Amino acid sequence: MEQDPRSQNGGWTFLQANLGRSRPATGELKNFTSGPYDIFLLQEPYTVNGNLAGLPLNWRVIHAENGKTAILVRNSALDVIELVKSSFITAAQISDRNLSVTVISVYFPPSCDKEELVARLSATVSKLKSSCVIVGGDINMRHRLWGPEVRDHRSSNEGLPFVDFLLETRLNIWNDPASPPTFVHQGESWIDVTVASDVLDFAAHTWRVITGTLSDHNYITFDLGTVNVAEHVPKFRLNKFRLRKMATNISNIGSTLLEQLEKSGSPEELDRFVLALTTTIQEVCTNHLKHVSKRPKTVPWWDAELEVLRKRNSALKRRFLNTLEPAEKLRRKIAYKICRAKFRWTLSNKRDKSWTKFCEEVSKINEFALPYKICANKIRRPLVLGSIQIDGRPSTTLRDAIERIVQVLFPGDDDVLTESPVQKQRRLYVENYSSTTNDERFSAIEVRTALKNSKRRKAPGLDGIQYEVLMAINLKSPRLLVSLFNRCLDLGHFPRPWKKAKLVLLNKPGKDTSDPMGLSPDLLALYYEQGPGQVGRTAHFAPLPLEQPVEPPSAWFQGS
């Protein structure tokens, strides 16, 4: 039975929440009953020394120090680029293969000038120049467009500056005036809004208010659908019996593969053979090896007691809010607050005890393990690209940012201005190299030695073929790989499929993520693209001193 795409890659499910600087409300985000959610638009999050706290380490976070807004991305299948990061406005570009959305989280404090903050938000939207925008947040303004009229000392038309903003930017309000209130504290109010561009109106019907939270605000959720991502290459679960069975099936068709390899008389035919061989290995592995299944991520301290307390807390809150008789309402309010305090205390107590126990157990094994790294700030969090500068202006799309990063980190062949004297001398040696003798052919012993010396338990490349798979195939069919590498040598051609790699960017600690030089590139290539490089004489690639003769890699594939 096929799995739901959402269960594999997640989706575009949003949770918009004002946490009221509450630690229990922040801790509840990971296990919220109506979740899981992929993207969080937060206002007044819980912070310690101006930084977000109480969140999983693998979530991507956009938050200014001491800021009142934040954007969190839980779904690793979504691409994120930081656009704006300020005290009251946070913006990010979130995209998959089909959809790219500018997401903005805003907070207007009650004591600040609303017209000034609306003007600042309008300037931000105009500067980003995006045709697909979602703005969500707590604006502390009321209007009949997003909530019923509440008769008190505040004007029901105080939201007119925000209405002018909607008319100017042509954004549509998603709020339902008949929905439950978004703020409940000594009264009810509708001050949390969600607005979006016309192209996203298909998702407006998914907008709804969630009650029963640990904050004094009710939360808002909406859904843009499933994520469209590149097909995930599964990792295989390995054991000796299944590997031997897989390798036997490859050896049964080994003679056919070798015949096809001998018929590959041109670089194009060799490229097609490499693709066919890769596909064959993948199909055999799929039939005989089991895939590694992802386990659901849960917290060890959440138990049945907390689940019962949360449900009871939500029920008491509903009864309190739905009661009209004053004396009974006061009695139910007291019961609700007692239950809420007990739930918050129990949650914090269980979480802290579980963390203390974990730290003690880990520290007994290794004093410099995860707790030490967290305290020393040596944990590498997921990378969020900053606003990369292009010709003096910030990039507004992920594609432009990536192209600029690749241009800076991997200069073209024509860019020789940054070459060192050693690099220049080596390049000239390679370009002027010529030889009339054939290169020495690879031997089966070299292939076996290279595979044996390779590091085990490494992540597979883009083809999903792991080291152990190649090792098992070479033991059963020792002629296959060595014949392939020698065929490359005879044709003087390095197969094109082996030249494809996935660029993974790692953030350097303490470096500005808006500067391409602050990123560390890592290339994930096909696993047995490393074959010629490791089977061959590795001195060809090593940075040897110039006094020693350096045989260039291109000499491998120049033929006779």
Side-chain angles (χ1 to χ4, degrees):
M1 184 176 65
E2 292 186 359
Q3 287 184 321
D4 181 12
R6 181 180 294 280
S7 65
Q8 297 178 358
N9 301 321
W12 284 87
T13 308
F14 287 75
L15 183 70
Q16 176 184 324
N18 185 315
L19 302 178
R21 302 180 297 277
S22 169
R23 182 182 178 187
T26 302
E28 187 188 29
L29 292 179
K30 301 186 289 292
N31 303 288
F32 203 72
T33 51
S34 57
Y37 295 96
D38 303 292
I39 304 168
F40 298 82
L41 307 183
L42 302 185
Q43 299 84 46
E44 294 191 285
Y46 172 69
T47 59
V48 175
N49 296 327
N51 298 315
L52 291 182
L55 297 172
L57 295 175
N58 60 339
W59 289 12
R60 284 169 287 179
V61 176
I62 302 176
H63 172 253
E65 188 174 358
N66 296 312
K68 302 296 183 183
T69 59
I71 295 177
L72 314 180
V73 180
R74 179 180 190 168
N75 189 351
S76 59
L78 293 170
D79 298 318
V80 184
I81 181 171
E82 173 191 308
L83 298 178
V84 177
K85 191 166 65 174
S86 62
S87 297
F88 303 123
I89 300 175
T90 302
Q93 189 80 19
I94 304 177
S95 57
D96 63 6
R97 298 174 71 189
N98 287 346
L99 184 62
S100 180
V101 183
T102 299
V103 179
I104 304 176
S105 176
V106 300
Y107 175 67
F108 297 166
S111 59
C112 292
D113 185 358
K114 305 296 191 303
E115 293 188 6
E116 179 185 348
L117 293 175
V118 170
R120 197 182 302 176
L121 175 61
S122 178
T124 301
V125 173
S126 301
K127 180 181 178 182
L128 296 178
K129 297 180 180 179
S130 175
S131 60
C132 192
V133 179
I134 288 180
V135 181
D138 178 6
I139 61 174
N140 277 301
M141 292 189 286
R142 298 184 301 190
H143 194 274
R144 287 187 292 273
L145 273 178
W146 52 84
E149 184 175 356
V150 179
R151 298 186 180 277
D152 59 11
H153 65 283
R154 300 169 65 182
S155 171
S156 60
N157 290 325
E158 63 181 353
L160 287 178
F162 196 78
V163 174
D164 293 338
F165 161 75
L166 297 180
L167 296 174
E168 177 188 349
T169 56
R170 297 183 179 181
L171 299 178
N172 301 326
I173 188 81
W174 281 11
N175 290 57
D176 180 8
S179 66
T182 60
F183 177 71
V184 183
H185 183 71
Q186 298 180 353
E188 298 178 346
S189 188
W190 287 256
I191 55 178
D192 297 275
V193 300
T194 307
V195 299
S197 303
D198 294 339
V199 294
L200 297 175
D201 281 349
F202 66 89
H205 71 281
T206 64
W207 187 95
R208 63 187 180 93
V209 176
I210 301 176
T211 58
T213 69
L214 293 180
S215 172
D216 52 6
H217 284 251
N218 290 327
Y219 300 160
I220 293 172
T221 179
F222 49 93
D223 189 356
L224 301 187
T226 58
V227 170
N228 188 339
V229 297
E231 183 180 355
H232 174 68
V233 178
K235 191 175 180 180
F236 296 107
R237 185 183 300 153
L238 306 173
N239 64 60
K240 293 183 179 179
F241 173 76
R242 292 186 178 275
L243 282 173
R244 193 180 304 118
K245 193 173 182 180
M246 177 275 304
T248 302
N249 278 267
I250 293 291
S251 65
N252 291 338
I253 59 173
S255 58
T256 305
L257 293 174
L258 290 173
E259 289 178 6
Q260 294 177 356
L261 179 59
E262 290 298 326
K263 295 178 182 179
S264 302
S266 66
E268 292 76 15
E269 292 177 350
L270 182 60
D271 290 343
R272 287 194 291 269
F273 173 80
V274 169
L275 287 174
L277 176 62
T278 303
T279 304
T280 301
I281 295 175
Q282 290 172 339
E283 291 176 353
V284 174
C285 288
T286 303
N287 294 333
H288 295 89
L289 300 177
K290 291 185 178 180
H291 290 154
V292 175
S293 57
K294 288 187 177 181
R295 297 180 180 178
K297 295 181 180 180
T298 58
V299 290
W301 46 266
W302 188 269
D303 54 16
E305 182 185 2
L306 287 174
E307 190 68 31
V308 171
L309 282 174
R310 177 162 63 180
K311 291 180 178 179
R312 185 182 176 192
N313 180 73
S314 301
L316 290 175
K317 185 176 182 179
R318 284 195 301 270
R319 294 173 190 170
F320 154 61
L321 294 176
N322 294 333
T323 303
L324 299 178
E325 201 275 320
E328 182 66 15
K329 190 178 183 71
L330 178 61
R331 187 185 68 81
R332 292 189 173 183
K333 180 180 180 181
I334 294 173
Y336 158 65
K337 288 197 170 183
I338 292 175
C339 181
R340 185 180 67 175
K342 182 180 178 181
F343 176 43
R344 289 183 172 182
W345 180 86
T346 306
L347 186 148
S348 299
N349 193 34
K350 286 182 177 291
R351 181 188 56 217
D352 294 346
K353 284 185 177 179
S354 175
W355 173 247
T356 303
K357 182 179 178 181
F358 170 76
C359 292
E360 291 176 353
E361 293 177 352
V362 172
S363 298
K364 290 178 181 178
I365 301 174
N366 183 5
E367 296 179 353
F368 299 98
L370 181 62
Y372 167 79
K373 292 180 180 179
I374 293 176
C375 296
N377 195 24
K378 292 186 177 182
I379 295 294
R380 284 200 174 187
R381 297 180 180 271
L383 172 65
V384 176
L385 288 180
S387 190
I388 304 297
Q389 297 291 320
I390 302 176
D391 297 331
R393 57 181 179 81
S395 60
T396 56
T397 65
L398 182 64
R399 183 181 184 86
D400 293 342
I402 293 298
E403 288 178 350
R404 178 58 181 168
I405 291 172
V406 172
Q407 181 183 358
V408 173
L409 297 180
F410 302 97
D413 294 336
D414 297 332
D415 186 10
V416 297
L417 298 178
T418 58
E419 282 185 329
S420 66
V422 174
Q423 292 171 330
K424 181 178 180 181
Q425 189 169 355
R426 183 168 297 171
R427 176 177 58 82
L428 293 176
Y429 178 82
V430 171
E431 290 176 352
N432 298 328
Y433 177 84
S434 62
S435 176
T436 58
T437 59
N438 290 335
D439 294 306
E440 184 180 351
R441 297 177 67 79
F442 298 118
S443 66
I445 296 177
E446 284 182 293
V447 175
R448 186 169 62 253
T449 303
L451 286 172
K452 187 177 179 180
N453 293 336
S454 298
K455 294 183 179 179
R456 304 190 180 190
R457 312 293 297 177
K458 291 183 65 177
L462 299 180
D463 54 6
I465 299 176
Q466 293 157 258
Y467 159 81
E468 289 81 2
V469 172
L470 286 180
M471 191 70 179
I473 291 174
N474 190 65
L475 288 175
K476 285 286 184 179
S477 308
R479 289 183 54 202
L480 182 59
L481 292 182
V482 69
S483 299
L484 174 59
F485 297 151
N486 283 324
R487 196 61 177 169
C488 296
L489 197 64
D490 294 338
L491 296 177
H493 176 67
F494 195 86
R496 286 184 175 273
W498 292 351
K499 296 180 180 179
K500 293 182 179 180
K502 180 179 179 181
L503 175 62
V504 179
L505 297 174
L506 306 176
N507 50 335
K508 297 178 181 178
K511 298 294 184 179
D512 184 9
T513 56
S514 62
D515 181 10
M517 298 306 295
L519 303 171
S520 177
D522 186 16
L523 289 176
L524 182 64
L526 302 183
Y527 196 97
Y528 71 114
E529 176 265 336
Q530 304 170 25
Q534 295 202 13
V535 175
R537 299 80 193 165
T538 53
H540 294 180
F541 292 103
L544 301 177
L546 282 179
E547 293 76 22
Q548 301 182 26
V550 181
E551 187 176 359
S554 58
W556 275 17
F557 305 117
Q558 288 180 357
S560 300

